[in-house]
Amino acid sequence: MVPSVGRTVHVKIDSSQAAQINRLRALGEGRFGNEAKEGDVLAMEIVRVWNTDPGSCCVNGQIKTDGNFVLWVTSVVQGTGLGQWFEPPRV
């Protein structure tokens, strides 16, 4: 899949991303939501595309948490591993 700005994809969050989400939630400041865990699959909106080569697409995006805030992430590569984005399956 060739990424484009504004497209919603899935991302399997890694332990660092989960920790960032939980840390932001714990700070409060109007942020609410459920605990994030490594391996959770969340929606991510692509906000910048850096590379469109098949198999190595690199993007910046905003991960939509299971709460009322987003986590900005950079240089996320395409794949199915932890910390990578992938096309949502058709249902």
Side-chain angles (χ1 to χ4, degrees):
M1 176 185 117
V2 176
S4 59
V5 172
R7 182 170 290 207
T8 298
V9 295
H10 286 176
V11 62
K12 188 183 296 185
I13 63 171
D14 60 24
S15 60
S16 174
Q17 292 162 335
Q20 286 180 285
I21 291 169
N22 292 330
R23 192 169 29 256
L24 288 170
R25 184 178 48 80
L27 285 174
E29 299 176 357
R31 294 183 189 101
F32 302 96
N34 293 313
E35 180 183 10
K37 296 186 262 330
E38 179 182 294
D40 285 351
V41 175
L42 300 174
M44 180 180 76
E45 182 178 351
I46 295 174
V47 298
R48 181 92 187 240
V49 177
W50 291 107
N51 180 3
T52 59
D53 293 338
S56 64
C57 297
C58 185
V59 302
N60 291 355
Q62 292 187 339
I63 296 175
K64 298 177 181 182
T65 66
D66 186 8
N68 66 345
F69 62 99
V70 297
L71 176 68
W72 180 58
V73 291
T74 60
S75 303
V76 182
V77 295
Q78 185 176 14
T80 57
L82 293 173
Q84 297 180 329
W85 70 268
F86 56 96
E87 186 173 9
R90 295 203 180 264
V91 291

